[in-house]
Structure formats: C-alpha cells, structure tokens
C-alpha cells in the first residue's frame, strides 16, 4: 500500500513532470512510437483486410497471419532485427506494426464479412461500382468492427511500446527499466501505472468513438455489431502482462 | 423489348440453372416468370442486368447485345426490386430512394424532391422519408424498394418475388398498387414469383418454367387457363386438382343476387353475380384482366 502511495506521489510530483527524464517527454515519445507503429500497421492491415472482406477471397490468409503473427515473441523479434539494423526507431516501429497488423486485419476483414450479403448484392444490382459499394455501404456498416480492431491493436501497441526502453529509446517503459535496475520499485510501479492509465484512456476514447460510429439506422434492433465487439478485458490483460513479460 | 437467345447458364459448381432459354419480353407489358423453387427464375432475371452473365447465348435489350454494355451503366437504367427490399440500412428512406440519381450526379435537392414524389407514387406517407429502413414494416420497406426501382425512371423494372415476404393482405394491396402503377407508367416489367395466382393477376404474359428454366408454357393467363399445355402446367395452375374448375353450389343461397362457387374439392372459392339466379355474362369478349377482377371480388368476399 505504501509502495502504491509512493508511486502515485511520484507521478503527481510536479518535479517529475518535465525535464529530460520527466513523465511528459516520455509520454510523448511513448505516444510517438505507438502512433508510428499503428500507422504503419494501418496502411498494411486495413486495405488488406478490406480487400479480403470485399472479395471474400483469402480468408485462410487472414487466419494464418493472425495466428502466426501472434505467436511471434515480440522482444525476441526486436532484438533479432536490431542485430541487422543497429539500434534506432525503425526496428521498434516495425515490431510494433507486426504486432498491430493481425487485429487490424481481422477487424477490417470480419467487419466486412459481417455486412449482410443481400445488402451488398442489392447495392451492386442498382448500379453501384465496387468502390462505391466498399466506401458507402461496406465500410460504414463495418465501422464498429473495424474500430474494434483498431482498439485492440492500440492497446497492444501501447503496452508493448514499453520495450522501447530496452533498445536505447525512451517512452514510459524507461521508468520500469530504471526502477528495476535501481531496485527503486516506486518508480517501476509508477511506470506501470502510467502505461496502464494511458492504455485505459486510449481504450475509453476509442470505445466512445466506436459507439458514435455505429450507423444510425442500425444502432438498435437488427444490428450485429454489438455481439462481435471485442471484450474489454482482452486488451487490458495483455497490457497488464506486458511489463512483467518483458521485464 | 428484351430477348433471350439460346441462353444457358452453368454455375462454377456445375449447376445447370438455365438450359437453352429463348424468350421475347415485350415492351411496356408485364411478363411474369413463374415456377417452383430452384427452376432458374432469379438467374434469368439477373441476366437482364448482368448480375449474372450467360455461359452461352445472349440477351438483347431493344436489339442491343447487353454483353457489350458496361454493367454499372446498364444497371443504373434498370430498376431492380428484390424480396427483402435490399435497402441500405444506414441510409434514410429518402436517401435510399435517391441513391442512384445521386450517383448519377443529380443535385441533392432535386433528387430528394423527386424521391418524395416517388413516395407518393408508391403510396407511402412523406413523413416516413426520414426514417431508417429498420423503422418500417416489411410492406413499407417493399414500397420503398419499388420507389427506389423507379427513381431513375427506367424503362425496365425487374422484380424478384418483391411481395414474397409480406402477409397476404399487404401482398394483395401491393399487387393492386403495382397494377395501378403499371397502368400509369407502362414499364417493361419482368416479375418473378412462385405464386401462380400472383402470376395470373399481374401478368400480361405468363411464362411457366420447369427446372433448368425450360418453358412449360407461355401465354396470357386466359390462354394458359383455357389450354394448359400439359399435365405439369395443369397441375401447376391447379386445374388438375380441380382447384380452378368452379361450379355453383346450389345448396347455399346467399342473401343477395350472388351464387356461391365451389372448387373441385368442394371448398367455397368465391361468388358470382347472378341477378335473379342467372349468372351475368359480360357483353364484350373477356380479357385477361377480367380474371384478376374476379379474383379481387373473391378476395373481398
Ligand atoms: N451463384 C450460384 N452458384 C451456384 N449455383 C447457383 C447459384 N445461383 C443459383 N444457383 C443454382 O441455380 C439454380 C437456379 O437458381 P435460381 O436462384 O435461379 O432459382 P429460383 O427459380 O430463383 O428459385 P427460388 O424460387 O427459390 O428463388 C438452383 O439450383 C440454384 O441452386
Ligand atoms: Mg429466386
């Protein structure tokens, strides 16, 4: 209890906010890594998921990618890449992207998959082009599920970005590493709390967005989006485990 | 005019859905394709707007081979109404109706004004314009589907069991509405159903299909009723079971100048005008439409 209290005291001490080793710059870095990793994954995973969902071809590919990518040990992969490239930002971004592709891909794919085939067929039959079907029918209707993928990818990347601290970068993970190295568990715990808080905040924000994008006409009654929405605990568990796993 | 010339469709899995089909569908008339489930009706219909392309043979519209036309362009000038309305669930009724005109670049205000008129045309209250499809009854959704089909003022209207999923009373209502609309608009309607009564009610030309889209018989309802080509047709239209051979039931006297008619199985099927006990005969030669009128009266009774 004392430790927890001390950790919060550390977090709320204005002296720890700014400065080179302060919370704020590390938070910004953490967000930077997260943002870059997600952006790269987004550019790959979303179009691919949409393509597969729209054409219905390549389901097995999605399954293969999502299950095999998930089995990759993130930290090991990062070290492996660094062996070839040396330390730097991009190895981390690549690793985070690899982590984020499966949920994004699965979200985009399963989102499109969940759109009623008759609706798509009707859209085509009245003369919509394939692009119009994708952008004005499939994506709007699939948006809650697509965002579900974004949400779990974000949680995983925020949690895993703590490993940046091991490879010469900063981010909130530095508090964990420094704390453990110095046997200063207050700081380590403060770092863990900060990562958790960031993850919760991001999750809450995305949950809100997810609610807002449910198309009006399907917001009640016949919608299927509710049941497939990923459950909250998944992301949280991953996040809570990451520091111990990597530490 | 739509013409099928030796059209065959074999799906990738080897199903021969349509086998060497020939048919001329006259302009500004209603042609009904009727047959039991799986006989190839939908496949035929969808070959007219290139949702399905024939394996061999070709389809002409006004003498033009549609295989040469851009599918999207072709579809935008053909109305299509399907069983479960196929409305876009995330768009309001008015936007659903205006979908294709908006795609075609019609200004929004104009497209919406026209959509509202179309709601009148199909007998829907304008107050429904801002609802979403899920907030409508099945019958209302079908009307919206019809309105959408009419939105680009197409010459051709394809209807695939449009009234199949609504209750009999609403269905009768929609059928009458379609007859009225057709008298007003004079579209080339191709209508698919497995309900022979609906086929006879709506069709100027009725095409009875067997499996593989083989034509068992085609003609006006009167021609088919008078001369079923074979046992299959006779059975299909019900005359084989005596369902359509009606006789006066002398044992029942109704209150007015009506006589009760019973079918071959003895079930009451309707009434006939019989002032002073004499069945009234129309002076002019009966047309196919008079059959539908009788059906209406039977329905009202
Ligand atoms: N995309 C497809 N792939 C393979 N077979 C198909 C496909 N579409 C239709 N079929 C088959 O072709 C045959 C005709 O189908 P179609 O949908 O035209 O029948 P239908 O007369 O419209 O039946 P229903 O009254 O049940 O709608 C059926 O045997 C059906 O299983
Ligand atoms: Mg069908």
């Amino acid at each position: 209890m004392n430790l927890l209290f001390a950790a919060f005291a550390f977090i709320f001490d204005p002296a720890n906010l700014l400065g080179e080793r302060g919370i704020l710059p590390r938070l910004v870095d953490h967000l930077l890594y997260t943002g870059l990793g997600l952006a790269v994954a987004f550019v790959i995973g979303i179009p691919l998921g949409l393509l597969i969902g729209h054409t219905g071809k390549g389901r097995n590919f999605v399954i293969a990618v999502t299950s095999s990518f998930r089995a990759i040990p993130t930290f090991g992969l990062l070290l492996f890449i660094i062996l070839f490239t040396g330390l730097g930002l991009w190895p981390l971004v690549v690793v985070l992207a690899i982590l984020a592709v499966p949920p994004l891909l699965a979200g985009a794919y399963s989102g499109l998959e969940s759109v009623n085939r008759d609706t798509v067929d009707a859209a085509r039959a009245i003369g919509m082009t394939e692009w119009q079907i994708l952008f004005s029918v499939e994506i709007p209707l699939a948006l809650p599920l697509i965002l579900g993928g974004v949400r779990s990818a974000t949680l995983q990347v925020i949690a895993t970005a703590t490993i940046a601290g091991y490879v010469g970068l900063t981010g909130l993970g530095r508090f964990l590493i420094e704390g453990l190295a110095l046997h200063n568990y207050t700081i380590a715990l403060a770092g863990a709390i900060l990562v958790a808080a960031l993850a919760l905040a991001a999750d809450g924000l995305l949950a809100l967005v997810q609610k807002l994008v449910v198309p009006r006409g399907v917001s009640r009654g016949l919608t299927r989006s509710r049941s497939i929405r990923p459950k909250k605990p998944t992301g949280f568990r991953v996040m809570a485990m990451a520091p111990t796993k990597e530490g | 005019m739509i013409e099928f010339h030796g059209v065959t469709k074999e799906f990738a899995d080897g199903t021969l859905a349509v086998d060497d089909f020939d048919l001329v569908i006259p302009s500004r008339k209603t042609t009904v394709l009727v047959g039991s489930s799986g006989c190839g009706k939908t496949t035929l219909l969808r070959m007219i707007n290139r949702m399905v392309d024939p394996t061999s043979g070709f389809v002409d519209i006004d003498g033009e081979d549609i295989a040469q036309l851009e599918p999207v362009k072709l579809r935008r000038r053909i109305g299509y109404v399907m069983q479960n309305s196929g409305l876009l669930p995330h768009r309001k009724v008015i936007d659903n109706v205006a979908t294709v005109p908006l795609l075609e670049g019609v200004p929004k205000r104009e497209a919406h004004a026209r959509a509202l008129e179309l709601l009148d045309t199909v007998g829907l209250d304008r107050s429904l314009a801002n609802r979403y499809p899920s907030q409508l009854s099945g019958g209302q959704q079908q009307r919206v589907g019809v309105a959408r089909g009419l939105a680009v003022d197409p010459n051709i209207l394809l209807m695939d069991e449009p009234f199949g999923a609504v209750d009999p009373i609403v269905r009768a209502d929609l059928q009458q509405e379609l007859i009225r609309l057709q008298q007003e608009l004079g579209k080339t309607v191709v209508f698919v159903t497995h309900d022979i009564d609906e086929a006879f009610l709506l069709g100027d030309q009725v095409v009875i299909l067997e499996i593989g889209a083989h034509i068992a018989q085609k003609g006006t309802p009167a021609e088919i009723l008078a001369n079923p080509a074979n046992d299959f047709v006779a059975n299909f239209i019900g005359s084989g079971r005596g369902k359509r051979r009606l006789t006066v039931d002398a044992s029942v006297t109704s209150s007015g100048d009506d006589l009760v008619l019973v079918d071959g199985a003895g079930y009451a099927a309707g009434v006939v005008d019989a002032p002073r006990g004499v069945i009234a005969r129309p002076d002019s030669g009966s047309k196919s439409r008079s059959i539908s009128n009788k059906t209406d009266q039977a329905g009202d009774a």
Side-chain angles (χ1 to χ4, degrees), chain B:
Chain B
M1 188 169 63
I2 305 167
E3 292 165 274
F4 286 82
H5 295 287
V7 169
T8 295
K9 178 65 195 183
E10 186 179 346
F11 283 105
D13 63 358
T15 312
L16 190 60
V18 173
D19 180 20
D20 195 17
F21 182 82
D22 288 286
L23 181 70
V24 174
I25 295 172
S27 295
R28 303 184 155 272
K29 293 267 165 30
T30 301
T31 294
V32 178
L33 307 175
V34 60
S36 41
S37 195
C39 71
K41 307 180 292 291
T42 298
T43 307
L44 284 174
L45 195 74
R46 287 162 71 89
M47 286 201 269
I48 298 172
N49 63 359
R50 293 202 58 191
M51 286 296 284
V52 173
D53 282 326
T55 318
S56 65
F58 52 97
V59 180
D60 282 355
I61 294 180
D62 297 331
E64 200 176 4
D65 181 358
I66 62 169
Q68 308 304 322
L69 303 177
E70 172 66 44
V72 168
K73 276 212 189 102
L74 176 71
R75 288 169 197 154
R76 286 190 188 173
R77 60 182 179 91
I78 295 179
Y80 188 72
V81 185
M82 59 223 85
Q83 179 166 355
N84 292 312
S85 79
L87 299 175
L88 303 178
H90 58 304
R91 290 200 181 162
K92 291 175 180 173
V93 164
I94 190 161
D95 291 314
N96 263 290
V97 175
T99 304
V100 184
L102 287 174
L103 290 180
E104 292 281 74
V106 175
K108 192 163 179 173
R109 282 220 351 243
E110 207 174 298
H112 276 186
R114 168 103 180 99
L116 286 175
E117 283 171 23
L118 280 164
L119 292 185
D120 301 340
T121 308
V122 298
L124 276 178
D125 200 296
R126 288 185 176 211
S127 66
L128 300 180
N130 285 320
R131 293 220 192 149
Y132 287 94
S134 60
Q135 298 168 322
L136 300 180
S137 73
Q140 289 168 332
Q141 288 183 25
Q142 286 312 121
R143 286 174 196 264
V144 177
V146 174
R148 180 176 69 177
L150 294 171
V152 286
D153 198 15
N155 292 326
I156 298 171
L157 192 58
L158 308 180
M159 308 184 85
D160 192 353
E161 302 193 36
F163 311 143
V166 294
D167 72 58
I169 293 170
V170 175
R171 188 182 312 150
D173 213 29
L174 288 168
Q175 287 165 347
Q176 289 309 319
E177 204 85 38
L178 182 64
I179 290 170
R180 178 183 65 75
L181 263 179
Q182 176 62 348
Q183 276 163 1
E184 246 169 60
L185 304 174
K187 304 286 182 196
T188 305
V189 176
V190 189
F191 192 104
V192 162
T193 179
H194 52 247
D195 176 354
I196 188 68
D197 292 320
E198 186 170 63
F200 283 161
L201 175 62
L202 300 174
D204 298 305
Q205 171 176 247
V206 172
V207 183
I208 299 179
L209 300 168
E210 289 182 67
I211 211 88
H214 291 131
I215 297 180
Q217 187 171 6
K218 64 168 189 262
T220 65
E223 284 165 2
I224 295 172
L225 271 170
N227 282 309
N230 52 38
D231 285 353
F232 175 83
V233 175
N235 217 353
F236 196 77
I237 66 176
S239 62
R241 297 192 301 270
K243 199 177 143 216
R244 290 187 186 276
R245 186 154 297 278
L246 306 180
T247 50
V248 173
D249 185 351
S251 66
V252 185
T253 38
S254 69
S255 52
D257 286 335
D258 290 345
L259 287 174
V260 173
L261 296 174
V262 293
D263 64 16
Y267 290 108
V271 293
V272 63
D273 282 345
R276 292 178 300 282
V278 181
I279 295 175
R281 265 181 184 278
D283 306 328
S284 57
S286 73
K287 287 210 193 79
S288 63
R289 195 55 77 203
S290 67
I291 290 167
S292 54
N293 292 340
K294 270 182 225 151
T295 318
D296 298 344
Q297 285 170 14
D300 291 339

Side-chain angles (χ1 to χ4, degrees), chain A residues 156 159-160 162-163 176 237-247:
Chain A
Q156 288 191 37
T160 310
T162 48
I163 62 176
L176 283 161
R237 196 190 61 229
V238 172
M239 178 222 56
M241 274 168 52
T244 33
K245 191 178 86 184
E246 313 295 351

